[in-house]
Amino acid sequence: MRPDAEAPGRAMTEIWVDGDACPVRDEVFRVAERRNLIVHVVSNGARGVRLPDHPRIRRVIVEAGADAADDYIADNIAPLDVCVTADIPLASRCLAKGARAISPKGHPWTQENIGSALAGREVSRHLRETGLETRNASFTGNDRSRFLVALDAALDAAARPAAQAFRIPPGGF
């Protein structure tokens, strides 16, 4: 259990940022401030990510290693939380724990699209191994705007589950 966690089954959404190469950290901080949420920025410390000095922004530095930050997030994320990551396997692990995940470009990862994303990642890896060059599109201002919309949508959805537990069916009872 993470050291800052409240009692098991906490009802407060937190944001987890895969922090080493995240281009939207500042946007996450602004949204979290507006919504009064805790943000965990997880990195291996190799890049010296600068963070604002704020009590709800928590720096988590993990040991060096290819998946150490991913492992920490996947081990500590809770069902109401949102993870910001471009890492498709990490997004899959977060979804498996009932959390939400979105990419820095504003793409929401869901149970419906994560399988094809993992398969596409594997195809790209195979192409690189055979010598073909694969590239990701550069990050744009439109991506930043799309991310802000997706983050607000994910946080709104995280706030709804308890309220939607009891629903009156269309047409009444």
Side-chain angles (χ1 to χ4, degrees):
M1 186 164 163
R2 65 181 183 254
D4 62 340
E6 296 170 11
R10 67 179 166 78
M12 183 75 164
T13 297
E14 296 180 5
I15 303 171
W16 294 82
V17 178
D18 188 2
D20 283 329
C22 182
V24 291
R25 280 189 301 266
D26 291 337
E27 288 77 4
V28 170
F29 300 151
R30 284 195 301 274
V31 170
E33 176 66 21
R34 178 171 39 90
R35 291 176 174 251
N36 199 31
L37 298 175
I38 291 172
V39 177
H40 305 271
V41 181
V42 184
S43 66
N44 68 9
R47 292 193 176 103
V49 175
R50 299 188 97 181
L51 301 178
D53 184 22
H54 194 284
R56 286 190 307 274
I57 297 174
R58 311 224 170 122
R59 176 189 310 272
V60 179
I61 298 176
V62 297
E63 296 292 324
D67 292 323
D70 298 354
D71 292 342
Y72 186 90
I73 292 170
D75 289 345
N76 290 284
I77 199 163
L80 293 178
D81 293 347
V82 175
C83 179
V84 177
T85 185
D87 186 288
I88 298 167
L90 173 58
S92 178
R93 293 170 70 187
C94 292
L95 293 173
K97 293 206 50 188
R100 288 167 178 74
I102 58 173
S103 78
K105 290 188 172 191
H107 180 77
W109 302 113
T110 66
Q111 293 295 344
E112 291 74 28
N113 68 21
I114 198 68
S116 61
L118 287 165
R121 179 182 180 272
E122 208 41 44
V123 167
S124 292
R125 183 191 60 76
H126 176 71
L127 291 173
R128 285 189 304 276
E129 286 176 354
T130 63
L132 293 174
E133 190 174 318
T134 61
R135 294 184 184 200
N136 291 325
S138 61
F139 190 79
T140 69
N142 285 339
D143 294 327
R144 195 172 307 279
S145 296
R146 205 172 15 259
F147 170 76
L148 286 167
V149 170
L151 180 58
D152 271 328
L155 292 169
D156 289 345
R160 280 196 299 267
Q164 290 185 350
F166 175 78
R167 295 179 70 177
I168 297 173
F173 288 104

